[in-house]
Amino acid sequence: SYAITPRADDYSQWYQDVIASAEMVDQSPVKGCMVIRPWGMAVWDELRDELNTRIKNAGAQNAYFPLFIPMSFLSKEAEHVEGFAKECAVVTHHRLCADPNGNGLIPDPEAKLEEPLIVRPTSETIIWDMFRKWIDSYRDLPLKINQWANVVRWELRTRPFLRSAEFLWQEGHTAHATKEDADATAREMLEVYADVCEKTLAIPVVKGEKSPCERFAGADATYTIEALMQNGWALQSGTSHFLGQN
């Protein structure tokens, strides 16, 4: 059993005590990461199934893209680099070897990758590289692809389910013949997110648009739903981005 801190004493600790007592999550031996226990995973499964149905009804198809992204892909997108550089985990070697000094294992000096790989913080760059191959003309549009995946963003301050170094999510990416169609799709998906929050999770949200300094890196516009926590803070609960030509 867990001792639950009174909410009025420490709101943040109260939240963490409640989800631990409910056996939804546990601490991980990896700093900043969480172990989602069966009760927590059951909630995620129900949410994913509901949202997945709505995404497919909006005309998207599911696909899966690599966990590793060449560093050069992010380097091509200056705003992406600026937005994610400090959060990226980087793979530089493809195997380990015994430390000749007897201190366990070290990256094998002879196994250094020709190009470092970024552990997926988001998939825009690699998905759009594939879109470039799949789209030959306007007849191939609109193209709507969704991915259920895990991403890694090396957060300094983490909270289970709210933000951890690794977390589960979905990301939809679409290509359109016109700006108006692309923007309408971004707004449509925000409505889907809001409806799921309110009707499936029973969480009221406020819909709006992020200010320029809060936009997703590289976006022309970021649409958001914000929930109000019981301590009076706003919690970003879903976003949909209009990327323009980026």
Side-chain angles (χ1 to χ4, degrees), residues 6 17 42 61 84 96 110 117-118 136 141 153 165 171-172 195 208 210 227 244:
D17 290 346
Q61 295 178 297
F84 292 107
L96 303 174
E110 298 183 1
L117 298 173
I118 307 300
D136 291 322
L141 301 174
R153 297 180 186 175
E171 53 180 316
D195 198 57
K210 292 285 192 182

Side-chain angles (χ1 to χ4, degrees), residues 39-164:
W39 278 112
M41 202 64 194
V43 173
W44 170 250
D45 288 343
E46 292 293 329
L47 174 60
R48 182 188 58 199
D49 290 347
E50 175 67 24
L51 186 54
N52 194 50
T53 297
R54 294 173 184 242
I55 289 171
K56 288 184 176 180
N57 288 342
Q61 295 178 297
N62 284 332
Y64 186 80
F65 298 84
L67 173 66
F68 302 116
I69 300 173
M71 184 178 288
S72 59
F73 279 35
L74 266 69
S75 299
K76 294 175 186 176
E77 302 288 343
E79 290 185 86
H80 254 60
V81 172
E82 182 180 351
F84 292 107
K86 295 180 180 180
E87 300 177 347
C88 288
V90 185
V91 178
T92 57
H93 293 71
H94 64 78
R95 67 168 177 257
L96 303 174
C97 67
D99 186 344
N101 297 319
N103 296 319
L105 297 172
I106 61 170
D108 188 340
E110 298 183 1
K112 189 172 182 178
L113 298 175
E114 291 185 9
E115 178 179 3
L117 298 173
I118 307 300
V119 182
R120 172 176 55 216
T122 183
S123 298
E124 276 78 11
T125 55
I126 198 164
I127 289 177
W128 276 91
D129 185 70
M130 298 308 300
F131 276 17
R132 181 170 54 84
K133 297 179 180 180
W134 297 344
I135 299 171
D136 291 322
S137 77
Y138 70 92
R139 295 181 179 86
D140 299 316
L141 301 174
L143 177 59
K144 300 181 179 182
I145 295 294
N146 180 66
Q147 173 176 237
W148 293 95
N150 61 333
V151 294
V152 172
R153 297 180 186 175
W154 220 258
E155 297 284 339
L156 296 178
R157 300 185 64 183
T158 60
R159 293 288 185 273
F161 295 125
L162 299 180
R163 178 52 59 90
S164 50

Side-chain angles (χ1 to χ4, degrees), residues 185-240:
T185 298
R187 293 174 182 269
E188 175 191 6
M189 289 314 302
L190 189 79
E191 295 292 334
V192 169
Y193 293 156
D195 198 57
V196 168
C197 277
E198 294 181 342
K199 295 183 178 178
T200 302
L201 299 176
I203 301 174
V205 294
V206 176
K207 292 173 285 189
E209 183 176 348
K210 292 285 192 182
S211 64
C213 66
E214 294 177 308
R215 287 175 188 159
F216 177 77
D220 284 6
T222 288
Y223 306 113
T224 182
I225 52 174
E226 308 279 331
L228 184 65
M229 296 193 293
Q230 294 174 3
N231 65 349
W233 293 1
L235 176 66
Q236 177 181 292
S237 303
T239 53
S240 186

